[in-house]
Amino acid sequence: MSYQVDEKDGYAVVRLTGEVDLNRSPDARRVILDCLQKKMPLLVDLSGVDYIDSSGVASLVEGYQLSRSRQLDFGLIGVSDAAMNVLRLARLDKVFPIYASLEARLKDTR
Amino acid sequence: MPQAATVTASATPYAIEVEDLVSYYDSRRILDEVSLRVRPGEIMVVMGGSGSGKSTLLRHLLGLNRPAAGRVSLFGADISQASARELYQLRRRMGVSFQNGALFNSMTVEENVAFPLREHTRLDERTIRIMARMKLEVVNLAGFERLMPAQLSGGMIKRAALARALVMDPSLLFFDEPSAGLDPVVSADLDELILRLRDALRVTILVVTHELDSAFRIADRITVLDQGRILITGTVEEVRNSPSERVQNLLNRRSEEIDVDPEEYLRRLTD
Ligand SMILES: Nc1ncnc2c1ncn2[C@@H]1O[C@H](COP(=O)(O)OP(=O)(O)OP(=O)(O)O)[C@@H](O)[C@H]1O
Ligand SMILES: [Mg+2]
């Protein structure tokens, strides 16, 4: 797994790529929590994720929970099929705000 | 991780490969030249009468028993050749729910499910808790995390054990008698869950069961063991339509006429 952080339109966009498994998810967790510590609204881009296990998903859950407690916007964008299957299994597709892209998030007025 | 790379080094299309496996308990031959191949993502159901060697085969797949002859390979790695470290790496990729597999009685449901993560990973405690609770959601045990095993029903214990088997996101899932002793509705739920798991995760599943309905519902292929030998391995249709009388007896649960050798029988009763 690798990751990249960009700032765009007031959002931090964390793009995860490759396999987010037990060995790599602590890095994903750290970068997500770091962004939120800086009080930035956050979108996690999963379009490049080939595989994400439940430790990776747990890091997303923790990030979402923290962002809510700080009243920061949070969302997942470009969720790949592989990632969506894992989210669906635990019905988390009904929990996370999910958008096609950053642009889609900006257009969405919720 | 170079160690993991060595374990999966040799390319093979199979997740599980058993070749001419022979196994003894003391001098009793329990498995007799058993061969079986399971493809990644496949659900293989192992059937057979009581004592036919199903659980013993499972113990070999887990590397808990050593073959007297033959080979067991997982993801192309021969597990009897594997070093302790390689075996450890392989075991991290396996989830297992044993036939008599109980939960730890002194731990809550959540602690039971989280146990493999605490043993085998250095994940953050918060990550571990979320992962354990996600798996309890998957098996429909949300809200029961603080109960002790003694406070659960039989079906709930099975599901909690499944949640524990899943918590490390295994690539191989072994399940010995998931629905034994459960009512048909709960058992059908478990079947549904097994199918959903296979579709959502990259997991190869081997299920041992006596329940014919369950086997036909979930299996891609079925293998039938009889006194330590494989009678047939095939798709649900192939097994259903098998001309073999032994297979049909097993499927229809007709108890077979046991051959009686009068001399031998008398000796057994009296010696
Ligand atoms: N630890 C052991 N020591 C000695 N013999 C054993 C041991 N475990 C199993 N056996 C014997 O091996 C044979 C196969 O047992 P196994 O548990 O594999 O059967 P099974 O097909 O799983 O049966 P069941 O459907 O009743 O669970 C049986 O005859 C059993 O008595
Ligand atoms: Mg058994």
Side-chain angles (χ1 to χ4, degrees):
Chain A
M1 182 201 85
S2 63
Y3 62 85
Q4 189 185 331
V5 187
D6 287 316
E7 285 187 36
K8 249 187 185 169
D9 297 310
Y11 279 88
V13 179
V14 173
R15 184 177 150 76
L16 304 176
T17 315
E19 310 225 332
V20 188
D21 60 15
L22 281 176
N23 300 317
R24 329 287 165 77
S25 67
D27 289 342
R29 173 176 184 268
R30 191 175 37 74
V31 65
I32 289 169
L33 297 183
D34 280 355
C35 286
L36 292 168
Q37 297 297 355
K38 291 181 198 145
K39 301 208 165 38
M40 292 199 66
L42 179 66
L43 295 175
V44 183
D45 182 345
L46 299 176
S47 58
V49 168
D50 308 314
Y51 174 73
I52 183 166
D53 75 0
S54 42
S55 69
V57 174
S59 303
L60 299 175
V61 170
E62 193 182 348
Y64 183 39
Q65 203 274 335
L66 181 65
S67 70
R68 286 175 60 121
S69 71
R70 306 201 157 185
Q71 294 173 321
L72 292 168
D73 197 17
F74 182 98
L76 306 180
I77 59 176
V79 178
S80 58
D81 289 350
M84 191 56 102
N85 284 340
V86 181
L87 294 178
R88 272 205 198 105
L89 185 66
R91 294 182 285 268
L92 285 166
D93 55 320
K94 304 214 165 65
V95 173
F96 286 113
I98 296 175
Y99 310 95
S101 61
L102 170 62
E103 292 67 36
R105 171 65 196 104
L106 294 173
K107 277 190 202 139
D108 192 307
T109 47
R110 73 171 105 146
Chain B
M1 190 181 287
Q3 284 295 342
T6 2
V7 174
T8 53
S10 55
T12 168
Y14 299 105
I16 302 172
E17 216 171 346
V18 178
E19 288 167 85
D20 301 323
L21 176 64
V22 178
S23 174
Y24 288 86
Y25 279 121
D26 304 319
S27 60
R28 238 160 19 106
R29 188 179 273 235
I30 307 298
L31 295 176
D32 196 1
E33 300 190 351
V34 165
S35 296
L36 187 66
R37 289 166 165 180
V38 186
R39 286 182 283 269
E42 193 173 27
I43 300 180
M44 176 67 80
V45 170
V46 181
M47 300 195 72
S50 183
S52 58
K54 305 181 296 294
S55 295
T56 303
L57 174 61
L58 200 60
R59 291 182 61 82
H60 279 279
L61 296 177
L62 290 163
L64 296 173
N65 287 14
R66 292 256 151 177
R71 259 172 21 106
V72 174
S73 304
L74 302 177
F75 306 109
D78 181 341
I79 63 172
S80 56
Q81 303 290 316
S83 66
R85 189 183 155 82
E86 286 167 340
L87 203 54
Y88 174 80
Q89 291 294 345
L90 279 170
R91 285 225 181 99
R92 274 182 54 142
R93 301 179 67 184
M94 304 183 210
V96 57
S97 172
F98 287 105
Q99 187 168 12
N100 307 313
L103 302 171
F104 301 112
N105 283 324
S106 60
M107 294 183 191
T108 64
V109 169
E110 180 179 310
E111 286 163 352
N112 265 285
V113 175
F115 184 78
L117 294 171
R118 299 217 164 93
E119 284 288 287
H120 298 297
T121 76
R122 292 196 203 125
L123 293 170
D124 185 88
E125 192 50 38
R126 259 164 301 191
T127 307
I128 289 180
R129 202 171 63 218
I130 295 170
M131 288 172 75
R133 293 198 177 177
M134 273 168 53
K135 294 306 187 219
L136 287 170
E137 292 280 344
V138 170
V139 302
N140 288 330
L141 280 181
F144 295 99
E145 58 274 350
R146 294 203 174 82
L147 293 192
M148 304 303 283
Q151 299 172 295
L152 301 182
S153 73
M156 289 161 82
I157 289 175
K158 293 264 181 192
R159 282 183 283 147
L162 177 58
R164 185 173 60 190
L166 289 172
V167 80
M168 299 271 291
D169 292 310
S171 354
L172 274 180
L173 184 61
F174 298 124
F175 215 157
D176 202 348
E177 298 286 1
S179 47
L182 300 182
D183 81 52
V185 176
V186 177
S187 152
D189 279 354
L190 259 177
D191 291 342
E192 194 57 41
L193 183 57
I194 288 171
L195 290 169
R196 281 205 298 137
L197 287 170
R198 190 272 305 275
D199 293 339
L201 309 172
R202 291 173 180 172
V203 57
T204 307
I205 304 178
L206 187 134
V207 180
V208 173
T209 186
H210 279 106
E211 312 283 328
L212 204 58
D213 290 344
S214 173
F216 287 168
R217 247 189 324 256
I218 63 177
D220 292 313
R221 289 189 301 147
I222 296 177
T223 189
V224 180
L225 269 177
D226 182 38
Q227 297 176 22
R229 286 169 178 269
I230 289 191
L231 276 184
I232 183 174
T233 301
T235 62
V236 171
E237 279 311 296
E238 285 164 352
V239 171
R240 254 191 180 141
N241 300 332
S242 161
S244 153
E245 200 180 331
R246 289 190 85 92
V247 172
Q248 289 307 325
N249 283 345
L250 201 125
L251 297 187
N252 299 320
R253 294 167 188 269
R254 261 180 270 135
S255 56
E256 275 188 43
E257 193 73 6
I258 297 170
D259 288 339
V260 177
D261 173 340
E263 294 294 324
E264 172 66 17
Y265 192 6
L266 188 61
R267 191 189 58 70
R268 285 206 301 272
L269 293 179
T270 55
D271 79 352

